[in-house]
Amino acid sequence: MDSILMELKETLKDFKIINEKTYKGNENVKIDYMENPLNPNLLSYCFKNVLGFEVYFRIAEKVNYIIEFDYKSTYAKAEHKKMSYAIYVDEKYKTEIIEILENVKSLLEQIFTSIGEHALLNNKFYMKNEAPEYFEKINFLENKIEQLNRNKNNISKKLNGQFDEIKQEGYIVWRPKGSDYLHKLNLELIYNIEAYIDTFYSALEHVLTLLFPFTNNFLSEHSYYKSFIRNTRWAWDAKVNDVCKNIISDKLFQELRRVKEVYRNHNAHGGFSREMMAYVQITDFGAYPLYIGKNYLKGFLDNDEDKISYEMYERIKEIFNEFWTMLKKNFEIPMMIIDSGLPIPVDTKIYMENIKGKDDAELFIQKQWYDIDNQSNMDW
């Protein structure tokens, strides 16, 4: 990384602090934000951390910074304001400076990547928190499923006992009224239930990944990125065991496993995973359906149906809600932080050090979002 940093300094060697030889009478032209390869933070990083300029931030209302500098003995200026971001330079150097900044961006990517790789191995990183989006999607699907079921029941009730007369090749066929529409409605219901199950297990893995560093089970001397996140064996059940092994009942764990394997995985690998159903021809009986690889799905299926239905949805919704309730009861403050949408550091002491209770957590979350919003909109 040192060699890249030296190359970066060499690339920026003509960006200097203003001195008595700087000519200020030149006609400056604007490099606007669309022409500039560097965003405002990358540009200020170069001046402050690479070139050693004194860069002052939030110097006025709605003004983040103004950096005056010398470029080949001519006066130049970079401004980042609420409604604009531009560099003003001597017209004859405009194209040249844009090309330099293009090269600078490539070098910064190499430096930041190197810093990032080191940070990942040493647990000095934050994880993007999408838990609120997952929970919103789960709520959306629950509402959608329950509305579809109400519509289906209402229509079935209204059309009960009514038939359409259909003539086919001289014959009259009687078909229950609205059967085609009800069939399509039922398919929509099934597809939404499948999406609901799929979303739950995605949310489960996401939330448990965010939650694990808050637990006593996580050993900080292990690289979270290398030993856990990038470990393909750290699957959903391993995450549940690592985070919840002292608090989850065997009954709940087995119910979660069954729902996942029966209702989520049955579509895996195009239906030809270890959950697949095969037909075995038995003399004097016929085709016998046999599920492969799951003890609870071998043999007769009288009490172990794998078809998607609203009744099945109601049962698994209770299981899913029991799981979320367990997490929020046993990890109250960490789950408050995760629910808030704040990015989660692997070094959770950054957040938890001064939090003694629920009130402290609420104040901390409010303060963090206040600072983030300020940085985003620059309304200081």
Side-chain angles (χ1 to χ4, degrees):
M1 191 176 81
D2 290 341
S3 62
I4 302 173
L5 186 58
M6 292 301 296
E7 185 179 352
L8 181 58
K9 289 182 177 180
E10 177 64 21
T11 303
L12 291 168
K13 67 180 186 301
D14 291 320
F15 290 71
K16 298 177 181 178
I17 295 172
I18 289 176
N19 55 69
E20 64 276 4
K21 295 182 180 180
T22 303
Y23 178 65
K24 295 187 176 182
N26 50 305
E27 288 291 330
N28 282 355
V29 295
K30 180 180 180 181
I31 300 174
D32 66 27
Y33 71 95
M34 296 184 68
E35 300 172 292
N36 190 346
L38 302 184
N39 69 30
N41 292 333
L42 290 176
L43 186 69
S44 63
Y45 180 90
C46 288
F47 278 106
K48 187 175 189 297
N49 297 81
V50 179
L51 298 173
F53 276 56
E54 289 287 346
V55 179
Y56 301 99
F57 297 97
R58 300 188 180 184
I59 59 176
E61 185 179 3
K62 302 186 189 301
V63 181
N64 191 19
Y65 63 70
I66 296 176
I67 304 170
E68 298 178 308
F69 62 97
D70 176 292
Y71 186 79
K72 294 185 176 180
S73 298
T74 64
Y75 175 79
K77 179 173 61 172
E79 293 185 345
H80 182 213
K81 301 178 180 180
K82 178 176 175 64
M83 301 303 293
S84 68
Y85 166 55
I87 302 176
Y88 299 91
V89 298
D90 191 301
E91 184 174 11
K92 64 184 176 184
Y93 294 128
K94 177 177 179 178
T95 301
E96 179 179 311
I97 288 175
I98 291 174
E99 291 174 354
I100 288 172
L101 296 181
E102 286 279 7
N103 293 331
V104 166
K105 183 178 182 180
S106 175
L107 293 169
L108 284 174
E109 286 177 348
Q110 295 177 58
I111 291 172
F112 287 4
T113 299
S114 179
I115 294 171
E117 289 173 348
H118 184 268
L120 287 176
L121 294 176
N122 291 277
N123 297 333
K124 303 298 182 183
F125 66 95
Y126 286 72
M127 294 175 284
K128 185 178 181 182
N129 180 359
E130 297 187 68
E133 288 78 8
Y134 274 110
F135 290 132
E136 285 177 9
K137 189 174 181 180
I138 286 172
N139 288 333
F140 170 83
L141 288 168
E142 286 178 349
N143 291 333
K144 180 77 170 176
I145 290 164
E146 288 156 21
Q147 182 61 53
L148 284 168
N149 188 64
R150 283 194 296 271
N151 292 347
K152 179 184 169 185
N153 289 339
N154 289 338
I155 293 169
S156 297
K157 186 176 180 180
K158 287 179 181 178
L159 299 180
N160 184 37
Q162 299 182 49
F163 294 87
D164 290 322
E165 181 180 312
I166 301 172
K167 294 182 179 180
Q168 294 181 347
E169 299 179 359
Y171 293 93
I172 296 177
V173 178
W174 298 90
R175 187 170 60 183
K177 187 177 286 292
S179 56
D180 287 343
Y181 178 72
L182 286 170
H183 175 68
K184 292 178 181 178
L185 200 59
N186 192 58
L187 287 179
E188 188 176 356
L189 181 66
I190 290 170
Y191 299 154
N192 277 276
I193 293 172
E194 288 184 331
Y196 171 71
I197 296 168
D198 194 61
T199 301
F200 168 80
Y201 284 96
S202 296
L204 176 148
E205 292 204 50
H206 184 77
V207 170
L208 293 182
T209 301
L210 299 178
L211 189 56
F212 188 37
F214 287 97
T215 71
N216 295 327
N217 301 325
F218 173 60
L219 301 176
S220 58
E221 60 265 24
H222 291 173
S223 167
Y224 195 46
Y225 176 76
K226 187 175 181 180
S227 302
F228 293 92
I229 294 176
R230 295 295 295 168
N231 182 357
T232 56
R233 294 185 177 181
W234 203 45
W236 78 274
D237 49 353
K239 290 180 173 72
V240 172
N241 280 321
D242 284 341
V243 176
C244 310
K245 58 185 172 185
N246 297 322
I247 61 173
I248 190 169
S249 68
D250 184 64
K251 179 177 180 292
L252 177 57
F253 181 77
Q254 293 305 326
E255 286 176 334
L256 289 172
R257 179 183 292 283
R258 181 183 179 283
V259 171
K260 184 175 189 298
E261 291 178 347
V262 176
Y263 299 110
R264 190 190 195 196
N265 288 355
H266 72 282
N267 289 323
H269 306 290
F272 292 97
S273 67
R274 59 192 181 127
E275 293 82 16
M276 69 170 284
M277 184 172 69
Y279 294 97
V280 178
Q281 192 68 22
I282 297 178
T283 304
D284 297 326
F285 173 79
Y288 175 63
L290 181 69
Y291 283 86
I292 308 299
K294 293 291 182 288
N295 289 330
Y296 46 74
L297 282 181
K298 288 180 179 177
F300 294 103
L301 303 178
D302 296 342
N303 300 314
D304 234 331
E305 180 62 67
D306 71 336
K307 299 298 183 184
I308 303 292
S309 67
Y310 185 77
E311 291 69 29
M312 176 275 291
Y313 158 77
E314 290 183 308
R315 291 195 300 273
I316 65 170
K317 181 181 176 182
E318 290 180 3
I319 296 169
F320 293 170
N321 287 341
E322 183 180 349
F323 180 77
W324 296 128
T325 301
M326 178 198 68
L327 287 186
K328 293 186 178 184
K329 178 181 177 182
N330 289 275
F331 302 103
E332 182 180 38
I333 291 174
M335 284 300 293
M336 286 175 63
I337 296 172
I338 290 171
D339 283 341
S340 76
L342 287 172
I344 304 299
V346 178
D347 181 7
T348 56
K349 294 193 299 295
I350 295 170
Y351 280 2
M352 298 293 288
E353 198 166 24
N354 296 314
I355 296 179
K356 307 302 180 185
K358 187 176 178 180
D359 291 342
D360 289 342
E362 288 176 348
L363 289 173
F364 172 80
I365 291 166
Q366 290 173 10
K367 176 63 166 59
Q368 289 294 307
W369 277 117
Y370 175 81
D371 289 342
I372 291 170
D373 290 341
N374 272 347
Q375 292 170 7
S376 298
N377 63 34
M378 293 176 61
D379 276 330
W380 301 314

mmCIF file of all heavy atoms in Angstrom, residues 193-194 197 258-259 263 305-317:
data_model
loop_
_atom_site.group_PDB
_atom_site.id
_atom_site.type_symbol
_atom_site.label_atom_id
_atom_site.label_comp_id
_atom_site.label_asym_id
_atom_site.label_seq_id
_atom_site.Cartn_x
_atom_site.Cartn_y
_atom_site.Cartn_z
ATOM 1 N N ILE A 193 -47.548 -17.307 -0.187
ATOM 2 C CA ILE A 193 -47.130 -18.071 0.995
ATOM 3 C C ILE A 193 -45.709 -18.587 0.809
ATOM 4 O O ILE A 193 -44.882 -18.533 1.734
ATOM 5 C CB ILE A 193 -48.105 -19.239 1.274
ATOM 6 C CG1 ILE A 193 -49.471 -18.694 1.704
ATOM 7 C CG2 ILE A 193 -47.554 -20.163 2.358
ATOM 8 C CD1 ILE A 193 -50.562 -19.752 1.820
ATOM 9 N N GLU A 194 -45.392 -19.073 -0.394
ATOM 10 C CA GLU A 194 -44.029 -19.521 -0.666
ATOM 11 C C GLU A 194 -43.038 -18.369 -0.529
ATOM 12 O O GLU A 194 -41.947 -18.534 0.032
ATOM 13 C CB GLU A 194 -43.948 -20.132 -2.063
ATOM 14 C CG GLU A 194 -44.622 -21.492 -2.171
ATOM 15 C CD GLU A 194 -44.443 -22.120 -3.547
ATOM 16 O OE1 GLU A 194 -44.323 -21.358 -4.530
ATOM 17 O OE2 GLU A 194 -44.409 -23.360 -3.631
ATOM 18 N N ILE A 197 -42.496 -17.678 3.228
ATOM 19 C CA ILE A 197 -41.579 -18.641 3.862
ATOM 20 C C ILE A 197 -40.138 -18.336 3.468
ATOM 21 O O ILE A 197 -39.236 -18.303 4.306
ATOM 22 C CB ILE A 197 -41.960 -20.087 3.443
ATOM 23 C CG1 ILE A 197 -43.352 -20.437 3.973
ATOM 24 C CG2 ILE A 197 -40.929 -21.085 3.951
ATOM 25 C CD1 ILE A 197 -43.922 -21.720 3.381
ATOM 26 N N ARG A 258 -38.248 -28.258 10.082
ATOM 27 C CA ARG A 258 -39.244 -28.963 9.276
ATOM 28 C C ARG A 258 -39.875 -28.032 8.246
ATOM 29 O O ARG A 258 -40.010 -28.402 7.063
ATOM 30 C CB ARG A 258 -40.331 -29.554 10.175
ATOM 31 C CG ARG A 258 -41.391 -30.324 9.396
ATOM 32 C CD ARG A 258 -42.499 -30.842 10.298
ATOM 33 N NE ARG A 258 -43.495 -31.546 9.513
ATOM 34 C CZ ARG A 258 -44.415 -30.946 8.772
ATOM 35 N NH1 ARG A 258 -44.489 -29.634 8.726
ATOM 36 N NH2 ARG A 258 -45.282 -31.657 8.076
ATOM 37 N N VAL A 259 -40.250 -26.828 8.679
ATOM 38 C CA VAL A 259 -40.876 -25.887 7.738
ATOM 39 C C VAL A 259 -39.908 -25.576 6.598
ATOM 40 O O VAL A 259 -40.301 -25.546 5.424
ATOM 41 C CB VAL A 259 -41.292 -24.594 8.465
ATOM 42 C CG1 VAL A 259 -41.736 -23.539 7.460
ATOM 43 C CG2 VAL A 259 -42.420 -24.884 9.443
ATOM 44 N N TYR A 263 -41.224 -27.024 3.123
ATOM 45 C CA TYR A 263 -41.935 -26.018 2.338
ATOM 46 C C TYR A 263 -41.028 -25.051 1.584
ATOM 47 O O TYR A 263 -41.448 -24.470 0.594
ATOM 48 C CB TYR A 263 -42.882 -25.229 3.239
ATOM 49 C CG TYR A 263 -43.927 -26.099 3.881
ATOM 50 C CD1 TYR A 263 -43.904 -26.373 5.242
ATOM 51 C CD2 TYR A 263 -44.927 -26.689 3.119
ATOM 52 C CE1 TYR A 263 -44.860 -27.185 5.838
ATOM 53 C CE2 TYR A 263 -45.886 -27.502 3.689
ATOM 54 C CZ TYR A 263 -45.848 -27.749 5.055
ATOM 55 O OH TYR A 263 -46.788 -28.559 5.619
ATOM 56 N N GLU A 305 -48.621 -33.707 5.292
ATOM 57 C CA GLU A 305 -48.867 -33.148 3.971
ATOM 58 C C GLU A 305 -47.863 -32.034 3.689
ATOM 59 O O GLU A 305 -47.541 -31.218 4.549
ATOM 60 C CB GLU A 305 -50.292 -32.603 3.918
ATOM 61 C CG GLU A 305 -50.673 -31.987 2.591
ATOM 62 C CD GLU A 305 -50.626 -33.018 1.479
ATOM 63 O OE1 GLU A 305 -51.449 -33.952 1.481
ATOM 64 O OE2 GLU A 305 -49.748 -32.863 0.610
ATOM 65 N N ASP A 306 -47.349 -31.973 2.445
ATOM 66 C CA ASP A 306 -46.390 -30.924 2.090
ATOM 67 C C ASP A 306 -46.989 -29.897 1.137
ATOM 68 O O ASP A 306 -46.272 -29.079 0.572
ATOM 69 C CB ASP A 306 -45.132 -31.534 1.480
ATOM 70 C CG ASP A 306 -45.384 -32.103 0.093
ATOM 71 O OD1 ASP A 306 -46.540 -32.445 -0.204
ATOM 72 O OD2 ASP A 306 -44.414 -32.201 -0.687
ATOM 73 N N LYS A 307 -48.284 -29.932 0.953
ATOM 74 C CA LYS A 307 -48.927 -28.969 0.065
ATOM 75 C C LYS A 307 -49.082 -27.623 0.761
ATOM 76 O O LYS A 307 -49.338 -27.546 1.967
ATOM 77 C CB LYS A 307 -50.310 -29.477 -0.365
ATOM 78 C CG LYS A 307 -50.279 -30.801 -1.129
ATOM 79 C CD LYS A 307 -49.504 -30.682 -2.427
ATOM 80 C CE LYS A 307 -49.540 -31.998 -3.199
ATOM 81 N NZ LYS A 307 -48.699 -31.924 -4.423
ATOM 82 N N ILE A 308 -48.933 -26.559 -0.041
ATOM 83 C CA ILE A 308 -49.094 -25.205 0.483
ATOM 84 C C ILE A 308 -50.575 -24.897 0.633
ATOM 85 O O ILE A 308 -51.367 -25.108 -0.282
ATOM 86 C CB ILE A 308 -48.447 -24.175 -0.466
ATOM 87 C CG1 ILE A 308 -46.963 -24.487 -0.691
ATOM 88 C CG2 ILE A 308 -48.630 -22.764 0.068
ATOM 89 C CD1 ILE A 308 -46.102 -24.305 0.507
ATOM 90 N N SER A 309 -50.961 -24.384 1.795
ATOM 91 C CA SER A 309 -52.360 -24.015 2.023
ATOM 92 C C SER A 309 -52.405 -22.884 3.046
ATOM 93 O O SER A 309 -51.428 -22.627 3.754
ATOM 94 C CB SER A 309 -53.155 -25.210 2.557
ATOM 95 O OG SER A 309 -52.712 -25.563 3.860
ATOM 96 N N TYR A 310 -53.570 -22.252 3.115
ATOM 97 C CA TYR A 310 -53.712 -21.173 4.101
ATOM 98 C C TYR A 310 -53.651 -21.722 5.520
ATOM 99 O O TYR A 310 -53.098 -21.066 6.415
ATOM 100 C CB TYR A 310 -55.039 -20.430 3.892
ATOM 101 C CG TYR A 310 -55.177 -19.233 4.808
ATOM 102 C CD1 TYR A 310 -54.498 -18.054 4.540
ATOM 103 C CD2 TYR A 310 -55.967 -19.297 5.954
ATOM 104 C CE1 TYR A 310 -54.600 -16.960 5.387
ATOM 105 C CE2 TYR A 310 -56.078 -18.206 6.799
ATOM 106 C CZ TYR A 310 -55.382 -17.040 6.517
ATOM 107 O OH TYR A 310 -55.477 -15.965 7.364
ATOM 108 N N GLU A 311 -54.175 -22.898 5.755
ATOM 109 C CA GLU A 311 -54.135 -23.506 7.085
ATOM 110 C C GLU A 311 -52.687 -23.773 7.499
ATOM 111 O O GLU A 311 -52.306 -23.568 8.652
ATOM 112 C CB GLU A 311 -54.933 -24.812 7.099
ATOM 113 C CG GLU A 311 -56.439 -24.637 6.954
ATOM 114 C CD GLU A 311 -56.869 -24.164 5.585
ATOM 115 O OE1 GLU A 311 -56.177 -24.472 4.589
ATOM 116 O OE2 GLU A 311 -57.918 -23.450 5.512
ATOM 117 N N MET A 312 -51.877 -24.228 6.535
ATOM 118 C CA MET A 312 -50.453 -24.419 6.801
ATOM 119 C C MET A 312 -49.790 -23.085 7.126
ATOM 120 O O MET A 312 -48.966 -22.988 8.041
ATOM 121 C CB MET A 312 -49.793 -25.076 5.587
ATOM 122 C CG MET A 312 -48.279 -25.253 5.695
ATOM 123 S SD MET A 312 -47.346 -23.789 5.185
ATOM 124 C CE MET A 312 -47.661 -23.790 3.440
ATOM 125 N N TYR A 313 -50.154 -22.035 6.386
ATOM 126 C CA TYR A 313 -49.615 -20.695 6.634
ATOM 127 C C TYR A 313 -49.902 -20.249 8.068
ATOM 128 O O TYR A 313 -49.025 -19.708 8.746
ATOM 129 C CB TYR A 313 -50.213 -19.707 5.639
ATOM 130 C CG TYR A 313 -50.159 -18.266 6.100
ATOM 131 C CD1 TYR A 313 -48.979 -17.540 6.046
ATOM 132 C CD2 TYR A 313 -51.302 -17.641 6.634
ATOM 133 C CE1 TYR A 313 -48.924 -16.231 6.499
ATOM 134 C CE2 TYR A 313 -51.260 -16.336 7.074
ATOM 135 C CZ TYR A 313 -50.065 -15.631 7.011
ATOM 136 O OH TYR A 313 -50.017 -14.344 7.468
ATOM 137 N N GLU A 314 -51.115 -20.474 8.551
ATOM 138 C CA GLU A 314 -51.465 -20.055 9.908
ATOM 139 C C GLU A 314 -50.598 -20.762 10.949
ATOM 140 O O GLU A 314 -50.186 -20.153 11.945
ATOM 141 C CB GLU A 314 -52.946 -20.323 10.181
ATOM 142 C CG GLU A 314 -53.882 -19.420 9.403
ATOM 143 C CD GLU A 314 -55.332 -19.652 9.755
ATOM 144 O OE1 GLU A 314 -55.777 -20.819 9.705
ATOM 145 O OE2 GLU A 314 -56.026 -18.667 10.078
ATOM 146 N N ARG A 315 -50.292 -22.041 10.712
ATOM 147 C CA ARG A 315 -49.455 -22.789 11.656
ATOM 148 C C ARG A 315 -48.014 -22.267 11.649
ATOM 149 O O ARG A 315 -47.417 -22.062 12.701
ATOM 150 C CB ARG A 315 -49.467 -24.280 11.308
ATOM 151 C CG ARG A 315 -50.799 -24.982 11.564
ATOM 152 C CD ARG A 315 -50.650 -26.494 11.559
ATOM 153 N NE ARG A 315 -50.154 -26.994 10.285
ATOM 154 C CZ ARG A 315 -50.918 -27.293 9.245
ATOM 155 N NH1 ARG A 315 -52.237 -27.126 9.335
ATOM 156 N NH2 ARG A 315 -50.399 -27.768 8.125
ATOM 157 N N ILE A 316 -47.458 -22.041 10.462
ATOM 158 C CA ILE A 316 -46.054 -21.614 10.422
ATOM 159 C C ILE A 316 -45.904 -20.154 10.851
ATOM 160 O O ILE A 316 -44.855 -19.766 11.372
ATOM 161 C CB ILE A 316 -45.429 -21.842 9.029
ATOM 162 C CG1 ILE A 316 -46.087 -20.957 7.971
ATOM 163 C CG2 ILE A 316 -45.460 -23.296 8.639
ATOM 164 C CD1 ILE A 316 -45.354 -20.983 6.653
ATOM 165 N N LYS A 317 -46.948 -19.333 10.658
ATOM 166 C CA LYS A 317 -46.876 -17.955 11.132
ATOM 167 C C LYS A 317 -46.699 -17.936 12.644
ATOM 168 O O LYS A 317 -45.937 -17.113 13.182
ATOM 169 C CB LYS A 317 -48.147 -17.190 10.734
ATOM 170 C CG LYS A 317 -48.137 -15.721 11.173
ATOM 171 C CD LYS A 317 -49.420 -15.021 10.764
ATOM 172 C CE LYS A 317 -49.444 -13.592 11.297
ATOM 173 N NZ LYS A 317 -50.697 -12.876 10.955
#
